Amino acid sequence: TVIQACMTIFRSMGLKCVAYLKYFMPVLKDVMDICSAPGLREMLIQQFCILVATIQHFTKDYLDLIMQIMEQYWDYESLQDKIVGLLEEISRVLIDEFTPCLHKFLPKMLSVLKNKGTHSGPIMHALRVFGTAVDPYLYTIVPAIVGLFDSANSYQAILCIGHMTYIHDLSPYLLLIYQPLLVAIKSPVPEIQNTALRTCTDLFSTVEESSPFVDPLLAFLEKSAIVCPHLEETLSRLKNKQAIPREVPMEYSTHRGLDSEDLLPFETNHPRSFKSNHEILGTAWDTTWCSTKADWTEWFRKLSITMLKESPSPALRCCSGLATNYQPVALELFNPGFVSCWDSLTEEFQKTTVEYIDKAISSPTIPNEELHYLLDLAEFMERSEKTQKYTLEINKLAHLAEKICAYAKALYYREKEFKQNPSQKIVGQIISLNDALGQHEAAQGMFRYNKEKFKTKLDITLYEKLQRWIKVLKRYEELQKQKPNDLSIILGRMRCLQNLGQWEDVVALAEKALSFPSSSSNGELALFAKRASLNLGRWDDLEKYINIDKKEIDGGFYHAVLLVHRNDFGNAKKVIDMCRETAVNDLMALVGESYRRAYDVVVRIQQLTELEEVITYKTSSQERKEMIKTLWENRLAGVERNVEVWQNILSVRSLVLPPQSNPEIWVKFSNLSRKNMRFKRAEIILTQLLLGDSKLTQTASIDPKVKYVYINLLWQKDQKEEAFSNMKEWVADFPRLNVPPSRQARCYVKLAQWQLYLNDSSLNETVIPSMIQSCKLAIELDGDWHKAWHTWAIINYRVLGHYLKESESNIDPYLLHALTGFIRAISLAPTENIQDTLRLLTLWFSYGHKRIVEISIREGFDIINPDTWLSVIPQIIARIHNPLRTVKNGIQQLLINLGKRHPQALVFPITVAQRSPFKQRVTASKSIINAIRQFNPKLIQETEIVSEELIRIAILWKEKWFKGLEEASHFYYVERQESKMMAVLQPLHEMLRNGPVTQHEKAVAKAFGRDLEKAWDCCKEYSKTRKESSMNLAWDLYAHVYRIIKRHLQTEFDKLHLSNISPELMKIKDLDLAVPGTYMKTFKAGKSVISITSFAQVLKVIPSKQKPRKTIIHGSDGNEYPFLLKGNEDLRQDERVMQLFSLVNNLLESDDITSKNHLSIQRYSVIPLCSDSGLIEWLPHSDTLHELLTVYRKAHSIPIDAELTLMQRFCMKNEYFKLPLIKKLEVFEFALDNTHGEGDDLERILWLNSPNAESWLDKRTTYTRSLAVMSMVGYILGLGDRHPNNLMLNRNSGKVIHIDFGDCFEVAMLRERFAELVPFRLTRMLINALEVSGIRGTFRATCETVMRVLRDNKESMLAVLEAFVYDPLINWRLTKNPGAPSNYNGDDDEVDALLVDKQKGYSGVSTGMTGSGTTTVSNASGLTLPQYSESSEDFLYSDENSLDEEGYDHGKFEHRALKIIERVSYKLSGRDFPGQTLSVEKQVDLLIKQATSHELLCQAYLGWCPYW
């Protein structure tokens, strides 16, 4: 039943089913292997036959599997005719590709024929179907068939020979056939005799050499008294040498003999859709008889099956039998079954159906499970966008979702209700739902919304959802003064005290409240008291409170704890088992919604498990106890770093391990509380460790770990001066205290770091020696601790920078100390330390001429693990042509050593350097390549071929000429610079003269070569004679070529075949070269290299401006590795940005809050191939925002440019930038106000692409957080050009992914045209896709958290960004003043006009700039914008080709580079807005205001889509 249903579905889908076969075919084979039911295997082979007929030529992808099955079961006689039928079908669909099957099965088939087996008939039919494919085997086939002329299968054998006469040349076998055929003609059976005569006629009419047999045959017929007019006529014609008419008889038809109707097209014997019986559906929907839970369960079961039986869809209807026998299928298909029936209903029936469902969901007796399915149906209908007539009240749906704890669904409906009618009541409901879902940041956003919009206070219990317990506690205390005996207020206070860890106060409040007259709240009071008693170790109190409330899981758990404490292990185990059973039931109910929702129950189950382990601990030997302690430590490392989770787990362990006996774990718990901003809880834990001594900083005898943590707590509570003072006093007392050296070292490091922080902008002769002395002592105390060396290096590095502002005379000591510190820190670090490595390289490259540096670096190479340099290969290769001989030699030797150890990591980057226009770089790179070639020549050869061919196909000749002609026309007609025009065209003509290699290049040369050469001759003539007519003639020819190429690129350029564009790449097989971008991943994972086995034969061209190609590389691990091959773009800067993202991800992972929220940036491999092309790892399931919105709007009949069309009511697109700011703002806001619905596009996309509300919530949360992360990191990086084609969205996860990092360090803000004035993209569509509170909730909180992490790790960020800025291969971008955004299309239109009508001249395009050439930035909103002192003249135009022979643009970028580093430093210090040092919260607030300012957005280039 299952297989037949699947096959029906596949047949109805046609070729679309191919995508699912990779899951279905292996399962079908497994069923074949294990089935035992009679006739099942025959049916399965028949299904294979039907499947082959359905998928046609795609059968070849599964041919090996099918052949394996046929070969395995050939010896089963009952299956032979089915297998032969399958072979027939394969031959029909594969035709020429059928040969492998024939090789395998023809001997088996002939064996059956020779043995005159019972299945000879089907085999002969198959041989007829195989047609000319059997020509090479006729010498053995014909005798085998003729041998059956005297068998039971003689009729089929004679018929087969007759049919073969029309397909094959049987002349060589005439004599072999003739005599047996005469015997058959004399057969007494009329059917055989007639068939033999027919075959004889066909044989003689088709075989040319049959004339000698004519007379004997006529004599035979006359002698045998056999009359056959047709045969006699044929023989007569042969004798008279007349033409014989040929027509294939009907009996020779090769129609299928096996269940032929099943193999016909699906539509032939199946309707495209069935008609639903409304009466049957109405009976199934009727709910009038349902009153009990059992009734509702039966109603739903019958309804789900009936809808499948009555579904108009053949694919669904065929599943009804399976659904009847297997209920999960009916449940799974309930939603699509309902929708398919719904579409066929009349409006009256639809209304009746809604009434029945409304009655069902309103019934108090309907089980939660059925209610859940009906809520899923409502959600499914909305996602199917069929809700016009399926209308249920949103409020009712939300209430029902809350009732069954489907909080994600409830949140969706409450938010929808809120958008329709905002109210304070719904605000409270949304806050509660967010709290239940663990979305505390979203709850905070709703509080902010309420404060801004409603300006009133919410119920105090809602403020608890924010987990700001100290503030809420104060509010409860104020309320209790007014109502001292109000139990709700007391319970609120107890919740606050519990979360603050103030257990004594919890017990005191419980005692007071329980003394009141008995109330329904006693159970809740007792629960607080039990938890507090457990954490305080007050067992008598715990027993007292247990007796008050023994209900449900909590009462049983505390009872079990008490029994364990009293060593009543037998009863304890019984209670534990009972509690576990209850917990498991709760877990099953919650885990279906999400793991996050079920996590608290998981923790409770872990508590029960550890309670059992406590029993084991109490009854075990010391050795066993140590094993359990180790197990607990390891387990604690794996749980969520959540304060409540840790408290719950440690409270159980305290039965045998009180805090004082296990201080390390409790210190970690305190640190966890501190890092989660739970400072009061952290302080209480530390106080508990000191047995009530709260004067932590004044007690000499306290545990140093505790004191160290406490002082750190002061610093994080923003009591920085007090923390610094306490630490300074403590370290001064070290000589008389018994503090371990390692702890002393940590204190000295903290002291130095804090002193640097407090004096960051005011280093002086007092502070510097103090910091250096602290670091020196830390190193002396713990010389193997990498952080001590790192701090020593950073301090000296900063001091070095301080003194460099004055003079270079006294820097050597600090330079040496910094070098030594970085080397030791790198060598001792347990993980990758890219920031220190980059700082070390910076010092080496800058001061390599100094002898002390040369010696230090040489020594450093000996102690640093060579693998360390893998992460900074781009920076090292960028300096291989360093003018300092010692540095250059050192770099080359380092790369050669690295090439010997990791050649795969080096071959692509060094090959890129070999293609540099600078002789020094080429020479240096060649020497390294030759050194690697000596021990790995094959790898180098493969790399050179692959790299060269990928560059060739990245930019084809047509594209090169298209771009070249655009640039040349611009230089000639716009700038009037013939020399630049000639410089652009000359390389193209040289390329043409060098001759074509590939078919594509030959076609271009043949089509355009003559015109282009003639045009070039005219250009050279113009250079000599200055005759305008020569240049006009040249551009007539160039324009003709340009128009033809443009038409081709626009209409016929969707895919490329390797055979045409790179035959070398097509021939490549089984290389040693690793798949680009995989080596570092496999090396770090300890796996073998994934090498290239081949390249896909077809490349898909992406229809964007640069027309990148999607290419697939097949790896040796059997996987496909897709890449985007980009031309006309330098990817070296993108490669460096990926390094920065790697560091940021490490920082986010090491922070408790950001790691808990799984914050990270999506990275991908970037492999530059040369200065204008490279490979980018293809991101699966991801689309650009522009593509997503285009598809969505097209599907919903919304114009893609709806907003732009409204703006053009006021002015044309090209006139918009001439408007004054106030007019721009008016036009911009008019477009936004009149396209309100379109502003929700992205929000709808996230909803429609989610299978359910739980998935939607996860996607939206991921979307919000990833958008916030990249907003902050992008701001620090100064990332611009964030138009919708440079932002991608992962459809599965909702993660925002940024691409194209060509504009960094606020280059986009300083453009001459269309400057981007916002710090990051945060337009209305992005905001509307956030929570209902917009930017106030998770987005803002994530921005603040990420900015805090970045600011806390300022030195690490600056280390990477400094290396970025001073990289000679990319810093030319920073000094270049770009004229327009990357997606600016104006130039294309201008050049088009030039090449079409070149004589009219060109006057340029209005830029919207002031006369001075500086961007006019209006600030009417009062926002404080970052200030830039440089005018456009300060940015020196240069590019990579303007560098000198060594590759440096000496001194020209130094001014800009210093400004960039200073600007980044200010951002990371909160000083990016003039006149103030901002807190993280204030800094983020100002940035968000800028990003959302309409006054700034309306000045953006319209191609940036600011209205989206």
Side-chain angles (χ1 to χ4, degrees), residues 816 819-820 823 851-861:
L816 179 60
L819 282 167
T820 307
I823 289 169
R851 180 65 177 165
I852 58 170
V853 175
E854 182 183 353
I855 295 171
S856 295
I857 291 295
R858 193 182 304 126
E859 293 173 351
F861 285 163

Side-chain angles (χ1 to χ4, degrees), residues 775-790:
C775 291
K776 189 174 181 181
L777 289 170
I779 292 169
E780 290 174 356
L781 288 162
D782 193 351
D784 293 330
W785 185 37
H786 70 284
K787 288 188 179 179
W789 287 103
H790 167 78

Side-chain angles (χ1 to χ4, degrees), residues 655-875:
L655 284 164
V656 289
L657 294 175
Q660 291 75 20
S661 67
N662 194 17
E664 287 189 8
I665 292 296
W666 285 84
V667 165
K668 287 182 181 179
F669 184 29
S670 173
N671 273 327
L672 175 64
S673 301
R674 172 176 61 83
K675 290 176 180 178
N676 281 275
M677 309 300 170
R678 307 284 279 275
F679 300 129
K680 186 68 176 176
R681 168 73 68 97
E683 191 170 353
I684 290 171
I685 294 167
L686 295 175
T687 304
Q688 285 179 335
L689 288 175
L690 297 167
L691 300 175
D693 187 352
S694 60
K695 298 180 180 179
L696 290 167
T697 60
Q698 300 175 10
T699 307
S701 60
I702 65 175
D703 188 331
K705 293 178 187 175
V706 179
K707 186 163 186 174
Y708 177 79
V709 172
Y710 179 75
I711 296 175
N712 270 288
L713 178 62
L714 290 177
W715 179 270
Q716 194 157 352
K717 286 170 65 177
D718 216 21
Q719 298 172 338
K720 291 182 168 51
E721 292 289 349
E722 183 181 352
F724 178 73
S725 175
N726 285 331
M727 185 68 80
K728 194 172 181 180
E729 291 175 8
W730 189 26
V731 299
D733 285 343
F734 278 170
R736 66 182 186 83
L737 298 176
N738 185 25
V739 178
S742 61
R743 181 60 55 189
Q744 289 188 42
R746 280 147 182 76
C747 293
Y748 280 119
V749 163
K750 278 294 181 189
L751 193 64
Q753 291 173 345
W754 291 351
Q755 196 165 9
L756 178 62
Y757 178 89
L758 295 171
N759 299 278
D760 187 32
S761 57
S762 57
L763 293 179
N764 54 54
E765 297 303 324
T766 303
V767 174
I768 290 171
S770 175
M771 292 190 301
I772 289 178
Q773 180 62 21
S774 296
C775 291
K776 189 174 181 181
L777 289 170
I779 292 169
E780 290 174 356
L781 288 162
D782 193 351
D784 293 330
W785 185 37
H786 70 284
K787 288 188 179 179
W789 287 103
H790 167 78
T791 307
W792 167 256
I794 289 295
I795 297 292
N796 281 281
Y797 186 86
R798 293 295 299 277
V799 173
L800 174 66
H802 170 72
Y803 284 126
L804 276 174
K805 295 176 183 177
E806 304 169 3
S807 159
E808 288 195 24
S809 57
N810 298 317
I811 66 169
D812 284 3
Y814 305 108
L815 176 59
L816 179 60
H817 294 332
L819 282 167
T820 307
F822 285 130
I823 289 169
R824 293 284 289 162
I826 294 166
S827 63
L828 293 169
T831 57
E832 186 180 84
N833 191 352
I834 188 173
Q835 55 269 41
D836 284 354
T837 308
L838 289 172
R839 279 267 166 85
L840 176 63
L841 291 178
T842 299
L843 293 176
W844 181 24
F845 298 151
S846 302
Y847 302 101
H849 59 282
K850 291 180 178 286
R851 180 65 177 165
I852 58 170
V853 175
E854 182 183 353
I855 295 171
S856 295
I857 291 295
R858 193 182 304 126
E859 293 173 351
F861 285 163
D862 294 334
I863 66 171
I864 293 176
N865 185 338
D867 298 343
T868 300
W869 307 110
L870 289 173
S871 59
V872 291
I873 284 176
Q875 283 78 11

